[in-house]
Amino acid sequence: MTTVLLAGAFGKMGQRITAMIQASDDLEIVAAFSPVGGTSPDFPVFTKYADIDVQADVWMDMTTPAGAKANGEFALAHGFDTVIGTSGLTADEQQALGNLAQANGQHLLMVPNFSISAVLLMQFAAKAAAYFPDAEVLEYHHEDKLDAPSGTARATAQIIAANRKAKPRTPESDAAARGDRIDGVQVHAVRLPGFNASEEVIFGAPGEALTIRQDSFDRSSFMAGVHLAIASVNGLPDALTIGLDTLL
Amino acid sequence: MTTVLLAGAFGKMGQRITAMIQASDDLEIVAAFSPVGGTSPDFPVFTKYADIDVQADVWMDMTTPAGAKANGEFALAHGFDTVIGTSGLTADEQQALGNLAQANGQHLLMVPNFSISAVLLMQFAAKAAAYFPDAEVLEYHHEDKLDAPSGTARATAQIIAANRKAKPRTPESDAAARGDRIDGVQVHAVRLPGFNASEEVIFGAPGEALTIRQDSFDRSSFMAGVHLAIASVNGLPDALTIGLDTLL
Amino acid sequence: MTTVLLAGAFGKMGQRITAMIQASDDLEIVAAFSPVGGTSPDFPVFTKYADIDVQADVWMDMTTPAGAKANGEFALAHGFDTVIGTSGLTADEQQALGNLAQANGQHLLMVPNFSISAVLLMQFAAKAAAYFPDAEVLEYHHEDKLDAPSGTARATAQIIAANRKAKPRTPESDAAARGDRIDGVQVHAVRLPGFNASEEVIFGAPGEALTIRQDSFDRSSFMAGVHLAIASVNGLPDALTIGLDTLL
Amino acid sequence: MTTVLLAGAFGKMGQRITAMIQASDDLEIVAAFSPVGGTSPDFPVFTKYADIDVQADVWMDMTTPAGAKANGEFALAHGFDTVIGTSGLTADEQQALGNLAQANGQHLLMVPNFSISAVLLMQFAAKAAAYFPDAEVLEYHHEDKLDAPSGTARATAQIIAANRKAKPRTPESDAAARGDRIDGVQVHAVRLPGFNASEEVIFGAPGEALTIRQDSFDRSSFMAGVHLAIASVNGLPDALTIGLDTLL
């Protein structure tokens, strides 16, 4: 049984994580940390670091970037292996926390994307790119998403570029309809109500195509990845691990 | 039985059309016109207008824009209802040929795209746009296609714009990944080896999506449309008809 | 402004319909009918027919089949045009209610499926089947759906069969992998967690394919159809109308 | 430069392989074996084993199962590493040829499917099945394909079953629309003109889906796999290798 202290337990994701842990056989929530308050019949809720008198195998942090930075510094200095679920920390901030984990003999797992299907898509894209240099990335999100392309699409394009072994057959083009070009890979962003978050990679070669698509319909899709992260962080080989990639 | 004189019988499309007519129950090829020569055991081949001594219900023209213009002028003035299968004539040239058809009591059918599935896609998109103002167009073509977006994708975006009854929820964006914007409709062009010509329209609304996709895998996909055009041109209500749309 | 009395206002769908009406510019909820109780700060809630002292342009019924039958009998006899949103009434029960509407000079609209995209899919399938006799239906639902294929998929297969003009090229087969055969159309049912309700029709012909797909991601997808039904029922030409089909 | 003796050089696949080798930088065709005759300006063609007086790094065999068996026995006994491109040999025949390769210090590579995208799909499916026990396989082929499901779909279902780590959430069903059930994995076969050979695996989990799809539009899709097989067979670690899987 892995015991968990959950920071951010009363946000939208925090509530789902609480329910997921409570429904699991191998995880147990023993406390929450929430400066803005909140109560639970099942575990104590601390609002200040100084009050925390419970130890846990894992500090699971689902807060803001600022909260994650401060919480991570506290947790790693106080005996908690830590999972941080935000993509908002800079590379320098991540490294600083990693150094702290190293110095304290703890493990830190930073997870920008808990979707297992998204991580598998990127792994499969890396492998396929070695055989299919011609590839384009499409992502589909709800109409309110402000940035385009998505961070996952951008990362996927970079992964494809890094794993290509041959020059693509498709010539470059400046036509607006050809979308964005990231490391030499065309990326297209669709924005439509009804969609939540989907990503697709299409590889083409003479006479054939290979398509990998991942759909996240709602937040429940992240729970399997959160479970995996919490269950794995104690046994990680390194002090700092970024992403679920090495766990899959 | 509808009799056909086929101009351009020995090009790639012409050979397929010949085979299609010969395999059909209701069409018969009675002559070919081909200034560059060619022979057939089954029908006479004329290389000059002056030599043509065969009449047919339909002059089917599958040549170049220049050839189609000259051939159309001859055919419409010599008693042939005419099908022209090129998208390369200007609006003025089309109208001039239409006027000639009117003056001679003939029917002229100009067909820029013989794909029945592409025409149906545009019809369906027109209807769906009335209920789903949020829509994006994606087209997928082989890596050698020079223009982007395709003419069909451009036409589809215009049709969607013309049939919208409400303002889309999705805000406009200048991000390169959002593709081209035609009449307020985002259009994305994918270029990959393996693909021939495919087009897709995705409509989104709260909690739902409607997708219409059309794939042309090879030239055989045009034969049903050529058949329909030849079989229909004699009975058209107007002297000039553009596109298969009104026939479906 | 169309005024509405909503029966079943406190169920999952009823709550969404209430919110949709309150957010709309052209509909107004003036009362609810709910034998199991419930209250609202915005409108009176009646628990017995005898208490209803409010008239409305439309009685919108989102209850059980038994409730819909009884409520429809009351509403049509008391001056309400009525929309019934259940697929559970028998053909005889539907006809009996239609006769009651006729006798009382009211309009009755029975709607088995409020998804506009699903209705459009069926319309498009009907048209495409005339040109593409080869077609297969695929539906994708959550793992808990008990029946297979779905009613919509079954109806779509019947529509395709009714609109075919030529014999399909694809030979019949008894192989289990070929799925169910409804009126000569193969139907495939996929059941997977993550999916809610999606339906797809694929038409194939030499060298081409036409695909129409509809996804309902959640209940919000039905609100546009509910809105359309309420806004349209007063102006319907017939006493009994079944389905949104004739409204689109 | 890898030298090749091509058996079956004048069949449909053989002609494509000849062209592929002649266009490549690293392969060279030095002879053909064809009991039914055929000539080439570029290399000698042998019609009898006894006449073969050319050695090559690889005997590439693209013939019938019977031809492949006899040719393989000759080639492996006469100093040729051998690639056999047929799926028609029994497991016993494959093993017997493998034993012959072992005894003669040669390498034998048997390739039932030269499509790299199909092999990658199966590899990706194996990995994804460990995280997503709920999966269904769909395959799409031309209307003339007699068997259903395809061998590739069947193999993919078996791979998924072998790599699952948890019980699927989706209950079993006997409904015809649910398709075939292979090792506990539902498999659906679509047959439509226009399609050549496509395969799709859909994984579902709460709130998400992962889809992997492979399309073979025509025979040109196999050339990259043939190239890989010829270029790799000399360096294989084992006397007998089955499938491209271990090469990717």
Side-chain angles (χ1 to χ4, degrees):
Chain A
M1 184 69 69
T2 301
T3 56
V4 183
L5 185 154
L6 177 58
F10 302 100
K12 283 186 184 175
M13 279 289 284
Q15 293 180 51
R16 284 181 177 271
I17 292 172
T18 300
M20 180 274 290
I21 292 175
Q22 292 182 326
S24 80
D25 292 331
D26 57 339
L27 307 182
E28 180 185 0
I29 187 162
V30 293
F33 178 68
S34 174
V36 298
T39 60
S40 167
D42 298 322
F43 47 80
V45 179
F46 302 106
T47 58
K48 299 179 196 164
Y49 294 136
D51 295 342
I52 298 175
D53 59 0
V54 172
Q55 197 60 34
D57 297 320
V58 180
W59 178 293
M60 173 71 219
D61 203 278
M62 187 54 73
T63 62
T64 60
K69 184 169 176 293
N71 292 348
E73 287 168 357
F74 173 83
L76 292 168
H78 290 79
F80 294 92
D81 280 358
T82 302
V83 176
I84 292 184
T86 175
S87 58
L89 297 190
T90 66
D92 281 354
E93 291 170 329
Q94 293 183 28
Q95 192 55 54
L97 285 171
N99 293 345
L100 193 61
Q102 179 82 44
N104 286 283
Q106 303 292 150
H107 298 101
L108 171 62
L109 175 59
M110 315 265 325
V111 186
N113 189 340
F114 281 107
S115 165
I116 290 178
S117 61
V119 176
L120 289 178
L121 178 145
M122 285 187 273
Q123 289 187 351
F124 298 163
K127 178 142 196 190
Y131 301 98
F132 296 101
D134 286 275
E136 305 207 359
V137 178
L138 296 89
E139 50 97 335
Y140 308 77
H141 283 83
H142 55 89
E143 75 276 25
D144 296 324
K145 184 172 176 62
L146 295 179
D147 55 318
S150 67
T152 304
R154 184 178 295 275
T156 305
Q158 292 166 337
I159 285 168
I160 291 169
N163 285 277
R164 275 173 171 164
K165 294 182 180 168
K167 195 176 172 306
R169 287 175 176 83
T170 309
E172 292 191 25
S173 160
D174 291 331
R178 296 285 287 117
D180 203 352
R181 190 168 184 86
I182 295 174
D183 286 10
V185 177
Q186 300 297 142
V187 180
H188 310 270
V190 174
R191 295 286 171 272
L192 285 171
F195 285 83
N196 179 34
S198 297
E199 192 189 4
E200 190 175 359
V201 188
I202 312 178
F203 295 91
E208 72 183 316
L210 177 65
T211 303
I212 310 167
R213 178 173 176 134
Q214 173 272 335
D215 298 278
S216 288
F217 299 118
D218 61 48
R219 284 192 183 84
S220 65
S221 63
F222 301 126
M223 289 306 108
V226 173
H227 191 154
L228 179 68
I230 295 173
S232 305
V233 64
N234 292 148
L236 288 174
D238 299 316
L240 173 62
T241 303
I242 297 181
L244 294 182
D245 188 36
T246 55
L247 279 64
L248 297 182
Chain B
M1 185 68 69
T2 300
T3 56
V4 183
L5 184 153
L6 178 59
F10 302 101
K12 283 186 184 175
M13 279 289 284
Q15 292 180 48
R16 283 181 177 271
I17 294 172
T18 300
M20 179 274 289
I21 294 175
Q22 292 182 328
S24 81
D25 292 331
D26 58 340
L27 307 182
E28 180 184 0
I29 187 162
V30 295
F33 178 68
S34 174
V36 298
T39 60
S40 167
D42 299 322
F43 47 79
V45 179
F46 302 106
T47 58
K48 299 177 197 166
Y49 295 136
D51 295 343
I52 298 175
D53 60 0
V54 171
Q55 199 59 35
D57 296 322
V58 181
W59 178 293
M60 173 70 220
D61 202 277
M62 187 54 73
T63 61
T64 61
K69 184 169 177 294
N71 291 349
E73 288 169 357
F74 173 83
L76 292 168
H78 290 80
F80 293 91
D81 280 359
T82 301
V83 176
I84 291 182
T86 175
S87 56
L89 297 189
T90 68
D92 282 354
E93 290 171 329
Q94 292 184 28
Q95 193 54 55
L97 284 171
N99 293 345
L100 193 61
Q102 180 83 44
N104 286 281
Q106 301 293 151
H107 299 101
L108 171 62
L109 175 58
M110 313 265 326
V111 186
N113 189 341
F114 281 108
S115 165
I116 289 177
S117 61
V119 176
L120 288 178
L121 177 144
M122 285 186 273
Q123 289 187 351
F124 298 163
K127 178 143 194 189
Y131 301 97
F132 296 101
D134 286 276
E136 304 207 1
V137 178
L138 296 89
E139 50 97 335
Y140 309 77
H141 282 82
H142 54 88
E143 76 274 27
D144 297 324
K145 183 172 177 64
L146 294 179
D147 55 318
S150 67
T152 304
R154 185 178 295 274
T156 305
Q158 292 167 337
I159 285 167
I160 291 168
N163 286 278
R164 276 173 171 164
K165 293 181 181 169
K167 194 174 173 308
R169 287 176 176 82
T170 310
E172 292 192 24
S173 160
D174 291 331
R178 296 285 288 117
D180 204 353
R181 192 169 184 86
I182 295 175
D183 286 11
V185 177
Q186 300 296 141
V187 180
H188 309 270
V190 174
R191 295 286 171 271
L192 285 171
F195 286 83
N196 180 35
S198 297
E199 192 188 5
E200 190 174 0
V201 189
I202 311 178
F203 295 92
E208 72 184 316
L210 177 65
T211 303
I212 311 167
R213 178 174 175 133
Q214 173 272 334
D215 298 278
S216 288
F217 299 117
D218 62 48
R219 284 193 183 83
S220 65
S221 64
F222 300 126
M223 291 306 109
V226 173
H227 191 154
L228 179 68
I230 295 174
S232 305
V233 64
N234 293 147
L236 287 174
D238 300 315
L240 174 62
T241 302
I242 296 181
L244 294 183
D245 188 36
T246 55
L247 280 63
L248 296 182
Chain C
M1 186 67 70
T2 301
T3 55
V4 183
L5 185 153
L6 177 59
F10 302 101
K12 283 186 184 175
M13 279 289 284
Q15 293 181 47
R16 283 181 177 272
I17 293 172
T18 300
M20 179 274 289
I21 293 175
Q22 292 181 326
S24 80
D25 292 331
D26 58 338
L27 307 182
E28 180 184 359
I29 187 163
V30 294
F33 178 67
S34 173
V36 296
T39 60
S40 168
D42 299 322
F43 48 79
V45 179
F46 302 105
T47 57
K48 300 179 195 164
Y49 296 136
D51 295 341
I52 298 176
D53 59 0
V54 172
Q55 197 60 35
D57 297 320
V58 180
W59 179 293
M60 172 71 219
D61 203 277
M62 187 56 73
T63 61
T64 60
K69 183 168 177 294
N71 292 349
E73 287 168 357
F74 173 82
L76 292 168
H78 289 80
F80 294 91
D81 280 358
T82 302
V83 176
I84 292 182
T86 176
S87 57
L89 297 190
T90 67
D92 281 354
E93 291 170 328
Q94 292 183 28
Q95 192 55 54
L97 284 171
N99 293 344
L100 194 60
Q102 179 83 44
N104 286 282
Q106 301 294 150
H107 299 102
L108 171 61
L109 174 59
M110 315 265 325
V111 186
N113 188 340
F114 281 108
S115 166
I116 290 178
S117 61
V119 176
L120 289 178
L121 178 143
M122 285 187 273
Q123 290 187 350
F124 298 163
K127 179 144 194 189
Y131 302 97
F132 295 101
D134 286 275
E136 305 206 0
V137 177
L138 297 88
E139 50 97 336
Y140 308 78
H141 283 82
H142 54 90
E143 77 273 27
D144 296 325
K145 185 172 176 63
L146 293 179
D147 54 319
S150 67
T152 304
R154 185 178 295 275
T156 305
Q158 292 166 337
I159 285 168
I160 291 169
N163 285 276
R164 276 174 170 163
K165 293 182 180 169
K167 195 175 172 307
R169 287 175 176 83
T170 309
E172 292 192 25
S173 161
D174 291 332
R178 297 285 289 119
D180 203 353
R181 191 169 185 86
I182 296 175
D183 286 11
V185 177
Q186 299 297 141
V187 180
H188 310 270
V190 174
R191 294 286 172 272
L192 285 171
F195 286 84
N196 179 34
S198 298
E199 192 189 5
E200 190 175 0
V201 188
I202 311 178
F203 295 92
E208 72 183 316
L210 177 65
T211 304
I212 310 167
R213 178 174 176 134
Q214 174 273 335
D215 298 279
S216 289
F217 299 117
D218 61 48
R219 284 192 182 85
S220 65
S221 64
F222 301 126
M223 290 306 109
V226 173
H227 191 155
L228 178 68
I230 295 174
S232 305
V233 65
N234 292 148
L236 288 173
D238 299 315
L240 173 61
T241 303
I242 297 180
L244 295 182
D245 188 37
T246 55
L247 279 62
L248 297 183
Chain D
M1 185 69 68
T2 301
T3 56
V4 183
L5 185 152
L6 178 59
F10 302 101
K12 283 185 184 176
M13 279 289 284
Q15 292 181 49
R16 283 181 177 271
I17 293 173
T18 300
M20 179 275 288
I21 293 176
Q22 291 182 327
S24 80
D25 292 331
D26 57 339
L27 306 183
E28 180 185 359
I29 186 163
V30 295
F33 178 68
S34 174
V36 298
T39 60
S40 168
D42 298 322
F43 47 80
V45 179
F46 302 105
T47 57
K48 298 179 196 166
Y49 296 136
D51 295 342
I52 297 175
D53 59 0
V54 172
Q55 197 59 35
D57 297 321
V58 180
W59 178 293
M60 173 70 219
D61 203 278
M62 188 53 74
T63 62
T64 60
K69 183 169 177 294
N71 292 348
E73 288 169 357
F74 173 83
L76 292 167
H78 288 80
F80 294 91
D81 280 359
T82 301
V83 176
I84 292 183
T86 176
S87 57
L89 297 190
T90 65
D92 281 354
E93 291 170 329
Q94 292 183 29
Q95 193 54 54
L97 284 171
N99 292 344
L100 194 60
Q102 179 83 45
N104 286 281
Q106 302 292 151
H107 298 102
L108 170 63
L109 175 58
M110 315 266 324
V111 186
N113 188 341
F114 280 108
S115 166
I116 290 178
S117 61
V119 177
L120 288 178
L121 179 143
M122 285 186 273
Q123 289 187 351
F124 298 163
K127 178 143 194 190
Y131 302 97
F132 296 102
D134 287 275
E136 304 207 0
V137 178
L138 297 89
E139 50 97 336
Y140 309 76
H141 283 82
H142 54 88
E143 76 274 27
D144 297 324
K145 184 171 176 65
L146 295 179
D147 54 318
S150 67
T152 304
R154 185 178 295 273
T156 305
Q158 292 166 338
I159 286 168
I160 291 169
N163 286 277
R164 276 173 170 163
K165 293 182 181 169
K167 194 175 173 308
R169 287 175 176 82
T170 309
E172 292 192 24
S173 161
D174 291 331
R178 297 285 288 117
D180 203 353
R181 191 167 184 88
I182 295 175
D183 285 11
V185 177
Q186 299 297 141
V187 180
H188 310 270
V190 174
R191 295 286 172 272
L192 285 171
F195 285 83
N196 179 35
S198 297
E199 192 189 4
E200 190 174 358
V201 188
I202 310 178
F203 296 92
E208 72 184 316
L210 176 65
T211 304
I212 310 167
R213 179 175 174 132
Q214 174 272 335
D215 298 279
S216 289
F217 299 117
D218 61 48
R219 285 193 183 83
S220 64
S221 63
F222 301 125
M223 290 306 109
V226 173
H227 190 154
L228 179 68
I230 295 174
S232 305
V233 65
N234 292 147
L236 287 174
D238 299 315
L240 173 62
T241 303
I242 297 181
L244 294 183
D245 188 36
T246 55
L247 280 63
L248 296 183

